[in-house]
């Protein structure tokens, strides 16, 4: 009986740790609904730049636009040009070229300071959103082998994965977003106060 209880407790902890969810679902004053899923880092311990990916969607008058959200974190100031490009190579060899949606220069020269067990850590972060067509979504969900993101300076972000872990994560997020988009949330600042 103890083994069964232990196994069930372990399963619950595992499910809670891997659960993906909506982290933001709001409606702006203009009637634009913004829905965001949590992002997840895809890194090696030797990475100097850490990439986190997630999906989000905007809904206006029934029209839905999906976005691939990329966050890059560094221990040094970081910036990307306006309309920064992202190249994504799928596991089938196709190459997608995505362009940053806001078309503004992205930069962090100030950073965020944290105290981790008495050690001061400074992190610089930029956030980019890439609009996706339905065809691009399907290509991303089929498998991702490599990503390159255009940055200012001499080096760009580039990472290649031997095993595709990203597409499984994005597939779950896409399903969550698709379900959330179909609901009729009309949130406001005063909801659930």
């Amino acid at each position: 009986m103890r083994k069964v209880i232990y196994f069930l407790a372990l399963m619950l902890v595992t499910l809670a740790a891997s659960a993906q969810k909506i982290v933001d679902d709001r409606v702006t004053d203009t009637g634009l609904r913004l829905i965001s899923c949590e992002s997840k880092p895809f890194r090696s311990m030797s990475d100097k730049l850490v990439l986190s990916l997630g999906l989000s969607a905007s809904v206006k008058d029934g029209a839905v636009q999906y976005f691939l959200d990329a966050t890059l974190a560094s221990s040094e100031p970081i910036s990307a040009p306006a309309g920064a490009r992202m190249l994504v190579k799928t596991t089938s060899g196709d190459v997608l070229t995505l362009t940053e949606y806001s078309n503004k220069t992205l930069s962090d020269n100030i950073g965020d300071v944290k105290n981790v067990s008495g050690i001061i850590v400074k992190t610089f972060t930029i956030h980019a959103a890439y609009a996706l067509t339905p065809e691009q979504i399907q290509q991303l969900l089929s498998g991702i082998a490599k990503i390159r993101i255009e940055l200012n300076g001499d080096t760009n972000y580039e990472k290649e994965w031997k095993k595709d872990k990203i597409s499984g994560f994005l597939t779950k997020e896409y399903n969550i977003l698709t379900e959330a988009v179909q609901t009729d949330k009309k949130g406001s600042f005063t909801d659930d106060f």
Side-chain angles (χ1 to χ4, degrees):
M1 183 66 177
R2 282 187 179 176
K3 288 182 181 181
V4 172
I5 293 173
Y6 176 75
F7 177 74
L8 290 174
L10 183 63
M11 288 298 293
L12 288 174
V13 170
T14 304
L15 288 174
S18 66
Q20 292 167 283
K21 61 182 179 181
I22 302 286
V23 293
D24 189 21
D25 190 351
R26 60 189 158 97
V27 178
T28 65
D29 294 338
T30 62
L32 179 67
R33 181 178 175 198
L34 303 170
I35 310 167
S36 300
C37 287
E38 62 187 348
S39 63
K40 177 181 175 181
F42 293 95
R43 67 171 297 181
S44 302
M45 293 311 288
S46 61
D47 290 349
K48 292 183 179 184
L49 283 173
V50 177
L51 173 68
S52 296
L53 295 172
L55 288 177
S56 62
S58 65
V59 183
K60 176 78 173 191
D61 300 326
V64 180
Q65 175 64 62
Y66 290 95
F67 297 92
L68 176 62
D69 300 325
T71 302
L72 284 172
S74 173
S75 60
E76 298 178 3
I78 186 172
S79 65
R85 294 170 294 169
M86 175 192 284
L87 298 177
V88 180
K89 184 181 281 185
T90 65
T91 52
S92 62
D94 296 329
V95 176
L96 302 168
T97 302
L98 307 174
T99 304
E100 207 282 322
Y101 185 74
S102 72
N103 204 24
K104 295 180 182 177
T105 301
L106 308 171
S107 67
D108 185 358
N109 295 319
I110 299 171
D112 184 30
V113 178
K114 294 182 181 171
N115 184 342
V116 179
S117 300
I119 299 171
I120 304 299
V121 177
K122 193 165 191 175
T123 305
F124 300 88
T125 308
I126 58 172
H127 305 279
Y130 298 89
L132 299 170
T133 65
E135 296 81 24
Q136 290 171 330
I137 292 171
Q138 293 311 312
Q139 287 177 303
L140 289 174
L141 301 183
S142 70
I144 296 175
K146 185 176 183 178
I147 292 178
R148 179 184 294 159
I149 299 175
E150 183 177 23
L151 298 176
N152 289 330
D154 296 334
T155 58
N156 295 313
Y157 171 83
E158 188 168 316
K159 181 81 175 168
E160 190 166 356
W161 292 271
K162 292 178 183 175
K163 281 185 162 181
D164 174 36
K165 297 179 182 178
I166 300 172
S167 64
F169 173 77
L170 293 179
T171 298
K172 290 177 186 174
E173 290 211 338
Y174 181 68
N175 292 336
I176 291 169
L177 276 176
T178 302
E179 186 177 312
V181 163
Q182 293 172 0
T183 64
D184 191 26
K185 177 170 172 57
K186 299 292 182 193
S188 73
F189 173 71
T190 58
D191 283 357
D192 300 328
F193 183 69

